[in-house]
Amino acid sequence: MKGVMITAALAAPIFLATPSQAEQGGRVVPVPKRALYPGDVITEDMLSSKQLSESENAGSFVTEASGLIGKTSRRTLLPGLPIPKVAIREPVVVRQGKAVSLVYESGTVRITGVAMALQSGSVGETISARNPDSGVVIHGVVAADGSVRVN
């Protein structure tokens, strides 16, 4: 029993000298200044910064404001709260239910057509579109110009 008391007495100054987690602080992350709603394009003036506590996992949040600028929110983001990585996306270029230009290229051959987008998509995402004449569903990749590239 004396050994336990001596160990506790020796360890007490170490615990007192160690700063608490709140004093140490964690990583500084960007947070919204105001509520951001789904589809809002994030700009620099919409953001401020906040220091996370050590207990908060910074790996699941966006840690750089530059990674948010120009992106859109997938869901409502509340002011002062860290932004989860899964809550943002690239801006939508193709909207579901809207006409979209289909482009097929192979060597010197280029074929274009029009289809109805069956889902919304950002640049680089694969989406489905329906040919209004034949009813055939076509899959392609959204290009920066708003067209869908078909292979």
Side-chain angles (χ1 to χ4, degrees):
M1 187 71 160
K2 280 186 178 181
V4 173
M5 291 177 72
I6 292 171
T7 305
L10 293 174
I14 295 170
F15 289 118
L16 294 174
T18 305
S20 69
Q21 288 182 339
E23 291 172 356
Q24 287 178 349
R27 187 173 187 128
V28 176
V29 297
V31 296
K33 288 182 181 178
R34 64 172 178 81
L36 301 178
Y37 298 101
D40 283 354
V41 177
I42 301 171
T43 61
E44 191 171 349
D45 64 324
M46 294 176 171
L47 301 172
S48 63
S49 60
K50 175 183 177 182
Q51 186 166 358
L52 296 178
S53 68
E54 287 291 324
S55 63
E56 292 179 288
N57 180 10
S60 61
F61 300 116
V62 177
T63 56
E64 298 294 327
S66 60
L68 292 169
I69 308 302
K71 301 217 172 146
T72 60
S73 59
R74 290 180 184 257
R75 61 183 175 100
T76 302
L77 303 173
L78 299 175
L81 295 179
I83 301 169
K85 291 178 181 177
V86 298
I88 59 164
R89 68 178 291 166
E90 293 294 327
V92 174
V93 177
V94 173
R95 300 256 181 228
Q96 179 180 356
K98 302 291 182 183
V100 65
S101 175
L102 297 176
V103 179
Y104 171 80
E105 289 182 308
S106 178
T108 58
V109 176
R110 179 181 170 112
I111 302 171
T112 61
V114 178
M116 184 70 62
L118 297 178
Q119 58 196 113
S120 297
S122 302
V123 174
E125 289 183 334
T126 301
I127 66 162
S128 301
R130 182 181 310 278
N131 181 321
D133 296 329
S134 66
V136 173
V137 175
I138 302 156
H139 303 283
V141 178
V142 178
D145 64 358
S147 65
V148 176
R149 306 294 171 160
V150 181
N151 290 334

